[in-house]
Amino acid sequence: MKVVHQNSFSENEKETLWQLRNNEYPIQFGHETFQEFDAYINSISEMDNYLLIDSKNEIQGWAYTFFRDSEIWFAIMLNYQIQGKGYGKILLEEIKKINQNLNGWVIDHEKDIKRNNEKYKSPLEFYLLNGFAVLNDIRLENEKISAVKINWKNNK
């Protein structure tokens, strides 16, 4: 597996990212059409993308950073078949290399369902193991998500 820093995508690559996001995030985050997904991607401010590519040159993971509310935020998603094997950490380390501070929303329960009808497993423990702090007093609560804010700072 290799990580490729890439900020423009072919239509096929965008379709793969759309499917990856739809498959790995809770169903309520899905984009029913490719056009919805494309509009979502185009609305993100200062997006910086990292793709995890396998030996067949297929996308197996995607991480991106973006600018929101005067802070750098991030998202990571991996094909469920490679989760728990260290690849999320590889993507996370790549985005840590060029950022001093990262913020994210993390679902901290296992009540959500993925498109394949499996439970969405909270990645909170993963982020704690990778140096993030949980800001328990800052939550995002709406009809789509119940999540806690996490933050990482480079202390070097």
Side-chain angles (χ1 to χ4, degrees):
M1 295 271 192
K2 65 181 177 183
V3 176
V4 176
H5 186 200
Q6 179 177 328
N7 285 323
S8 62
F9 303 108
S10 69
E11 287 299 303
N12 281 348
E13 288 170 329
K14 276 189 189 178
E15 290 238 359
T16 299
L17 296 176
W18 172 47
Q19 293 300 326
L20 182 65
R21 189 173 195 283
N22 274 358
N23 290 340
E24 301 308 330
Y25 276 175
I27 197 164
Q28 67 268 24
F29 293 148
H31 297 280
E32 292 305 313
T33 67
F34 178 73
Q35 291 73 22
E36 282 178 31
F37 175 73
D38 202 32
Y40 164 74
I41 293 299
N42 292 329
S43 73
I44 298 174
S45 181
E46 299 180 38
M47 189 174 196
D48 204 15
N49 295 276
Y50 301 82
L51 303 178
L52 186 66
I53 309 290
D54 68 15
S55 59
K56 297 177 187 170
N57 221 26
E58 295 176 355
I59 298 170
Q60 298 297 325
W62 178 29
Y64 58 93
T65 59
F66 56 98
F67 194 71
R68 179 196 304 147
D69 299 330
S70 303
E71 296 179 308
I72 300 293
W73 290 73
F74 78 100
I76 294 179
M77 58 212 77
L78 292 177
N79 180 323
Y80 75 93
Q81 294 171 318
I82 65 165
Q83 290 176 10
K85 297 180 180 175
Y87 296 115
K89 182 178 176 93
I90 290 169
L91 277 172
L92 189 56
E93 291 302 320
E94 282 297 314
I95 63 176
K96 282 180 173 181
K97 282 180 187 176
I98 62 169
N99 292 283
Q100 298 299 307
N101 196 337
L102 292 168
N103 297 281
W105 292 116
V106 175
I107 295 171
D108 56 349
H109 59 81
E110 300 200 359
K111 299 175 191 167
D112 290 330
I113 303 295
K114 296 191 322 183
R115 195 167 288 270
N116 65 2
N117 288 322
E118 290 181 8
K119 281 188 176 188
Y120 175 79
K121 185 176 179 333
S122 170
L124 187 58
E125 184 178 325
F126 166 78
Y127 291 114
L128 291 171
L129 290 171
N130 284 283
F132 282 78
V134 177
L135 308 178
N136 285 311
D137 55 331
I138 305 175
R139 295 195 61 85
L140 178 61
E141 300 282 349
N142 62 38
E143 66 282 348
K144 282 192 172 189
I145 188 171
S146 172
V148 65
K149 185 176 181 180
I150 59 170
N151 174 263
W152 171 82
K153 287 184 174 72
N154 185 349
N155 295 322
K156 293 179 183 174

